[in-house]
Amino acid sequence: MKPLSKNIIFALVAVLLISAIFSGYTLNSNKPEEIGMTALVEEIQAQNVQKIEIEGSEVTVTLKDGREQTTRKESSVSLSEELISYGVTADQLKAAQITIQDRSTRSYILGVILPSLLPLFLLIFIFWFMLRQMQGANNKAMSFGMSNAREIKDTKQKVTFADVAGDKEAKVELEEVVEFLKNPKKFSDLGAKLPKGVLLMGRPGTGKTLLARAVAGEAGVPFYHLSGSEFVEMFVGVGASRVRDLFARAKKSAPCIVFIDEIDAVGRQRGAGLGGSHDEREQTLNQILVEMDGFDPNIGVIVIAATNRPDVLDPALLRPGRFDRRVVLDLPDINDREEILKIHAKNKPLAPDVNIRRIAERTPGFSGADLMNLLNESAIRAARRNDNKITQEDAMDSIEKVLLGPERKSYVMNKEEKNVTAYHEAGHALVAHFLPNCDPIHKVSIISRGMAGGYTLKLPSEDKRLHKRAEFIDDMAMMLGGFVCEKEIFGDVTTGASDDLRKCTGLARELVTRYGMSETLGPRVFGDSQEMVFLGREIHEARNYSEKTAEAIDLEVEKLVNGAMQTARDIIRKEKLSLDKIAKKLLEEETIEKEAFEALLKQ
């Protein structure tokens, strides 16, 4: 109803505008005065006429004072004969300067035909415009079930494996897919079938979309990109229709790649319980399964899907014959981070003091997207300083900005809060320094960033895949260092330790229930960690243990937390002088870097 009302309003406004334009012709106050033949004779005899112009039967009279008058003559008689009959002499006619103008076709069209046809043309244009709008709405309704996949063919923005750093094992797996697309006969001659689907699994920001585009770029084939959520609409059957249209387009463009990002939006397990049996989503999934089973494996259409939640996907999607390959993308190690930083730094001017390797060392746990954001923030910081190059200081500051958020310069702590924060962060740093299994301290600061009033930055000296129980125990003591320090120095605690307590308690519970590192309860896993669709974890968590065991878990968690607190307390009491030195230095300079921190403790 809204488009129709809009068109009606547009038509009314147009008609009013046309009426206003043409009413101007009739309301023109400067048009010549109409007179009779007798008045013209009087003007000629009084010698007030400068010239007379005749065009057909219309007579235009220009007086010597500049005024214009019009009259009409008989069409069968000339003006001179008519004026002589009224008593005008030949000398008077000669003084009037009578000229006769032929009426041209152009002037006739402009003066008579065009003013009458122009409103008609405008009305025809208005109705044509309204009809076109209605046809556009109908076409949109007819294309509602068509796929919205975007086909990428731009060779200028071509992505290859050279643009993707790290993920060596993933690239090896995908290079085989490129070979399948480039030379399918080589494999079909040996009886090998092309893989129908490749599932890219990894954390957000690890480069799943980039790798899919790199496969298409290496193979030189069309690349259809869309998200899993684009299939699902409020109308049942639309998603399945879009799947059919997508695969029909892909078969026409074969060989090609169809990339479905976030496939878990439509590929979740069917019949998973409350909220998990959405008819539209299930019909869409069923159609994807049918299409992947239906097309010829050697036709050259490969479906690449990406997800960071492979645990919720339907088993039918993962069986052989559909997603034959599963490629896991992990977070990059230090060497991969260095290569990724070099790629993102290609179009950025770096100062001579920038050490890419050192930046890679300070960014464990960063994904490729995090590293790209890091260099982007560095460039923004350099631009704000009106510098034409990115310095090492820009990069280091941006690491903390990505981790914790921007500096809150407007947040000014009073003297007491600043003193408490200094001792709190000094407690973290001191406990971490004296525990053998804690990572080295790289920076301690009481400058507010994000939600943190201060922070202690500790980073591993090398990338780790496996963690020992002793590391977790020491980390818990380090987390409680600030809380214990506040209690020992000031005799009271503040809300600043709330996040530390939450993390410490969560880690202790994971040691007991997930990692089987409890000495009392032994190597067991307690609780089902699977997540049901659309339900919160606390609501549906399956407790596969008794109330007595739950009480034992609570006692074991309490034992671990209390043990970590006692460890932190012993170190703080023993190294009280070092604690005072660190806190004093923080109050003076607000930030202590790794070298200064180690030198301070050696004194």
Side-chain angles (χ1 to χ4, degrees), residues 283-470:
Q283 288 193 21
T284 305
L285 175 58
N286 291 338
Q287 190 63 43
I288 291 175
L289 299 176
V290 171
E291 290 290 345
M292 292 190 71
D293 257 350
F295 62 83
D296 185 356
N298 294 318
I299 200 171
V301 177
I302 294 181
V303 183
I304 299 180
T307 181
N308 53 14
R309 294 294 311 276
D311 55 307
V312 301
L313 294 180
D314 193 277
L317 266 178
L318 304 178
R319 75 157 176 82
R322 290 193 176 122
F323 283 99
D324 305 295
R325 303 280 178 102
R326 299 179 204 174
V327 180
V328 179
L329 280 69
D330 208 346
L331 292 174
D333 58 21
I334 184 170
N335 296 320
D336 291 341
R337 290 196 300 272
E338 185 177 5
E339 294 300 320
I340 293 171
L341 286 168
K342 287 179 180 178
I343 288 177
H344 291 306
K346 283 181 180 178
N347 61 341
K348 294 179 175 62
L350 301 180
D353 67 328
V354 174
N355 188 336
I356 297 292
R357 182 71 181 186
R358 188 178 175 193
I359 298 173
E361 291 173 353
R362 291 285 290 266
T363 52
F366 275 45
S367 65
D370 292 330
L371 295 171
M372 181 181 68
N373 187 35
L374 162 63
L375 287 183
N376 185 59
E377 290 291 346
S378 303
I380 292 173
R381 188 177 187 274
R384 291 178 64 182
R385 292 189 298 104
N386 296 320
D387 200 346
N388 57 0
K389 289 188 177 181
I390 300 172
T391 64
Q392 186 78 5
E393 183 184 354
D394 293 328
M396 291 302 177
D397 183 77
S398 299
I399 292 173
E400 296 166 23
K401 186 175 182 180
V402 172
L403 284 172
L404 302 169
E407 288 186 9
R408 292 194 296 163
K409 296 181 180 179
S410 60
Y411 178 67
V412 180
M413 292 185 288
N414 58 42
K415 186 176 181 181
E416 182 181 355
E417 287 180 343
K418 196 172 183 180
N419 194 32
V420 172
T421 304
Y423 271 96
H424 181 100
E425 299 303 330
H428 283 308
L430 187 70
V431 173
H433 179 77
F434 283 100
L435 288 176
N437 297 298
C438 273
D439 296 328
I441 298 296
H442 281 253
K443 189 174 184 178
V444 187
S445 176
I446 58 172
I447 298 175
S448 299
R449 278 186 177 274
M451 300 299 293
Y455 58 94
T456 301
L457 187 63
K458 68 180 186 71
L459 300 170
S461 55
E462 59 183 9
D463 292 298
K464 297 179 182 179
R465 302 292 182 185
L466 301 175
H467 298 274
K468 298 181 294 184
R469 181 179 185 275

